Amino acid sequence: MTKMQVIEKTSGKVVQQIPFDDDGCDAGMLMTPIYMNVQKWVERRKDIISVNFRGGGNGHTMDYIFNRSARKYQQKK
C-alpha cells in the first residue's frame, strides 16, 4: 500500500488520505490478505487505526489517532 483512504460510511466518500513514507512499499505486507494489516478500534474514547508494516523480523505497526478538533487521523508520535 502506498496510501490508506478513510471513507465515510454513510456517503461512501473519501474524507482523508494517509500517505505512507515508505519507498519499499512495506505497508500492508506483514500478513495476508491485505485487510488483515489494518485494524480499527476504540481505546479510552479515542479512535485508533493501526497499520502493519513488514521488515525487522516481526514487522512493526504505526498507529493513527483521530484528532477530533482537526477532524482527521494523525500518526501517533
Side-chain angles (χ1 to χ4, degrees):
M1 289 191 305
T2 58
K3 65 183 173 189
M4 177 173 53
Q5 295 180 330
V6 179
I7 299 171
E8 185 178 300
K9 286 185 179 183
T10 56
S11 68
K13 293 183 180 182
V14 175
V15 293
Q16 181 181 356
Q17 288 193 33
I18 300 172
F20 299 120
D21 299 336
D22 186 18
D23 294 334
C25 194
D26 290 332
M29 299 300 290
L30 183 61
M31 296 181 276
T32 210
I34 197 160
Y35 61 81
M36 293 177 70
N37 287 294
V38 178
Q39 300 86 31
K40 181 183 181 293
W41 77 92
V42 177
E43 182 177 300
R44 295 185 208 144
R45 297 176 50 186
K46 292 183 180 179
D47 291 334
I48 302 169
I49 296 175
S50 289
V51 179
N52 296 319
F53 292 76
R54 72 174 167 200
N58 291 330
H60 65 281
T61 301
M62 284 190 180
D63 291 336
Y64 298 86
I65 300 173
F66 189 71
N67 180 325
R68 295 192 190 286
S69 61
R71 299 188 51 83
K72 65 180 183 176
Y73 285 90
Q74 296 176 329
Q75 185 177 352
K76 181 178 178 182
K77 302 290 180 191

